[in-house]
Amino acid sequence: MVIKIKGTKPSRRNFLKAAAAAPVAAMAGGQAFAEEADPAIIEKQPWTQFLGDGVDARPYGMPSQYEADVVRRDVPWLTADPVSSVNFTPLHELDGIITPNGLCFERHHAGIAEIDPGQHRLMINGLVDTPLVFTMEDLMRFPRENHVYFLECAANSGMEWRGAQLNGCQFTHGMIHNVMYTGVPLRLILEEAGVKTSGKWILPEGADASAMTRSIPMEKAMDDCLVAFKMNGEALRPEQGYPVRLVVPGWEGNMWVKWLRRIEVGDQPWHHREETSKYTDLLENGQARRFTWEMDAKSVITNPSPQAPITHGPGHMVLTGVAWSGRGTIPRVDVTIDGGENWVQARMSGPSLNKSMHRFYHEFDWDGSPLLLQSRAHDSTGYVQPTKDMLREVRGENSIYHNNGIQTWYVNEEGIAENVEIS
Ligand SMILES: Nc1nc2c(c(=O)[nH]1)N[C@H]1C(S)=C(S)[C@@H](COP(=O)(O)O)O[C@H]1N2
Ligand SMILES: [Mo]
């Protein structure tokens, strides 16, 4: 196989040399006692000598001061103004499958609406028997359900369409979060208003200054959509649409209207801004793909990655990452450490839920030579995550949205990782 590395330029010479090197013996994670005594063991630390904060000091708990780097980050050059922009989930700092509320990426078109729930209403109008208005209290009196779903912006990895660009999985893959929602099935609310037989589409609308709207077919609205008011057990954060947002499982994040104030029922799609000039994919032949709602299976190795280098030298190491599909579950993820010459099945750990993030691990002995890391997700429909070149063959290079191609990280002898492409 000829390996061509595109994007940033790691040393190809070293990689080839490394491929010939013999693997060294496994090394345990712990260390034998050193000659010199370890101050972390023999010295008294301040936290053993003084009383800590009492139970009245932290009415709402926050992470340790030593976790201060675990934050959402933005890419300033991406957008003209932070009120119509995006920040990214620090995937390389997380484990398991649930995204903590304060770290869920934010995407908004007109800033965060700060809504007084007492003044918020949800209206159902259009092709219904009885137009209705609900207060938040009214919504709480419908039967509610709990489901874990990922939300991925269709533009996730959009900056990588023409080649490796952003150095870190937070930036290449961080427009995703995965939380447990509590909400009312949209079906129950629509049935309460009584959808006329001519009602084939819905148009959810946000109460923020962008009044965002998207057309959603009635089959999806009646299937698994939720009108959600809780995430991970507590109220939605203002960033995520407090007091109520639409949840559209498996479908692109743009349709998950936040600060939901109105649902119109109609007989055809509305062709608004977010489904015409945005969230469509211009192909090579000048035609655009439209209504590409489902998010295809995708995965990424989160550790090691450019923001999370290997810091421990050769020996036993843990590789981990996440995978998801808008069409079901992820029964299998393959991992390669040599740019695709050899693939092994990763170990899945954690709940395997429909349209939710999955966690995988691969433990191996690193011989200290450079690595070309990739992961490849298989979903429950049998679909296999494609390479970026396979995507470009079909869709050209004009697209921003729906880039679910295989990601490559090059790791050098020092453990430093970079975003590259190989072909
Ligand atoms: N009302 C409203 N809803 C919205 C948006 C918005 O700007 N206004 N942005 C959409 C887009 S493009 C995405 S990707 C998701 C992001 O959800 P999050 O901020 O919870 O990550 O919300 C969607 N819903
Ligand atoms: Mo989005």
Side-chain angles (χ1 to χ4, degrees):
M1 183 181 74
V2 181
I3 297 173
K4 256 175 42 211
I5 301 176
K6 296 190 283 191
T8 45
K9 283 203 196 65
S11 157
R12 181 169 136 78
R13 189 171 44 86
N14 285 345
F15 172 72
L16 294 176
K17 189 181 71 191
V24 299
M27 203 195 248
Q31 287 164 18
F33 284 121
E35 290 279 293
E36 271 162 51
D38 181 354
I41 295 173
I42 61 159
E43 273 166 31
K44 254 193 193 159
Q45 306 296 347
W47 49 86
T48 67
Q49 300 176 52
F50 305 102
L51 295 175
D53 276 351
V55 292
D56 51 349
R58 305 179 190 199
Y60 193 96
M62 297 295 282
S64 157
Q65 57 178 300
Y66 302 103
E67 299 294 318
D69 274 349
V70 183
V71 290
R72 302 186 277 223
R73 290 193 177 81
D74 64 348
V75 176
W77 56 259
L78 260 187
T79 48
D81 194 300
V83 300
S84 180
S85 191
V86 61
N87 60 24
F88 301 87
T89 303
L91 293 175
H92 61 294
E93 300 278 12
L94 304 180
D95 217 319
I97 66 162
I98 296 292
T99 316
N101 288 346
L103 296 175
C104 289
F105 88 96
E106 302 167 57
R107 167 78 178 107
H108 22 80
H109 293 67
I112 301 164
E114 290 280 358
I115 295 180
D116 171 354
Q119 300 305 310
H120 189 72
R121 302 289 181 270
L122 172 60
M123 179 197 287
I124 314 288
N125 71 320
L127 298 176
V128 290
D129 297 333
T130 323
L132 292 173
V133 172
F134 301 100
T135 62
M136 287 307 295
E137 213 172 37
D138 295 334
L139 290 178
M140 304 291 185
R141 295 174 63 196
F142 281 91
R144 50 187 186 259
E145 293 182 2
N146 297 299
H147 296 276
V148 179
Y149 293 124
F150 75 83
L151 178 165
E152 184 185 16
C153 176
N156 201 19
S157 316
M159 288 77 74
E160 307 291 308
W161 258 107
R162 291 173 191 189
Q165 178 161 231
L166 296 172
N167 239 344
C169 66
Q170 177 165 20
F171 306 112
T172 55
H173 289 76
M175 280 195 232
I176 188 164
H177 50 65
N178 196 63
V179 308
M180 177 176 287
Y181 294 97
T182 306
V184 177
L186 176 58
R187 175 178 43 84
L188 298 181
I189 292 169
L190 289 171
E191 281 170 0
E192 187 78 8
V195 175
K196 292 192 190 301
T197 48
S198 54
K200 298 291 182 222
W201 291 77
I202 63 160
L203 186 78
E205 179 186 73
D208 55 327
S210 79
M212 230 203 58
T213 49
R214 275 299 294 262
S215 305
I216 299 177
M218 189 60 72
E219 304 81 69
K220 181 66 174 176
M222 289 294 191
D223 179 16
D224 56 1
C225 291
L226 293 176
V227 171
F229 31 80
K230 294 273 203 286
M231 58 194 283
N232 292 333
E234 63 178 1
L236 292 174
R237 294 287 168 90
E239 304 92 297
Q240 265 68 47
Y242 179 86
V244 62
R245 94 175 298 166
L246 191 63
V247 168
V248 190
W251 288 22
E252 60 188 20
N254 185 259
M255 307 174 93
W256 299 46
V257 172
K258 303 193 274 190
W259 311 293
L260 181 67
R261 73 164 172 202
R262 191 170 72 90
I263 296 173
E264 187 175 332
V265 177
D267 57 359
Q268 50 193 335
W270 281 261
H271 308 293
H272 281 182
R273 175 183 182 274
E274 302 290 302
E275 51 207 15
T276 51
S277 86
K278 307 292 175 200
Y279 297 96
T280 52
D281 311 311
L282 184 61
L283 302 175
E284 290 287 88
N285 66 5
Q287 293 197 320
R289 299 197 319 160
R290 294 193 59 198
F291 295 155
T292 46
W293 301 307
E294 274 178 319
M295 299 309 292
D296 296 312
K298 187 166 170 180
S299 68
V300 67
I301 293 170
T302 55
N303 307 79
S305 64
Q307 296 158 289
I310 306 174
T311 52
H312 55 58
H316 191 66
M317 70 163 289
V318 176
L319 173 156
T320 187
V322 283
W324 60 93
S325 166
R327 296 197 177 83
T329 58
I330 300 286
R332 171 176 160 194
V333 175
D334 303 325
V335 169
T336 176
I337 64 170
D338 57 14
E341 265 183 89
N342 299 286
W343 291 92
V344 290
Q345 231 173 287
R347 180 172 65 84
M348 310 299 298
S349 178
S352 172
L353 302 168
N354 192 28
K355 299 166 188 173
S356 161
M357 229 182 226
H358 291 59
R359 171 65 58 176
F360 65 87
Y361 298 93
H362 174 56
E363 292 86 7
F364 66 101
D365 289 315
W366 181 41
D367 62 6
S369 61
L371 304 167
L372 282 168
L373 305 178
Q374 298 181 324
S375 62
R376 181 173 66 191
H378 298 241
D379 79 10
S380 47
T381 70
Y383 174 94
V384 182
Q385 185 183 0
T387 64
K388 290 185 186 175
D389 281 342
M390 286 161 76
L391 279 181
R392 290 182 187 119
E393 247 168 59
V394 181
R395 307 236 294 272
E397 292 196 359
N398 295 324
S399 290
I400 299 167
Y401 308 109
H402 296 283
N403 178 356
N404 68 320
I406 290 174
Q407 173 66 45
T408 313
W409 306 125
Y410 170 81
V411 184
N412 72 10
E413 294 97 328
E414 273 97 62
I416 309 291
E418 275 185 89
N419 181 6
V420 301
E421 276 191 36
I422 53 177
S423 57

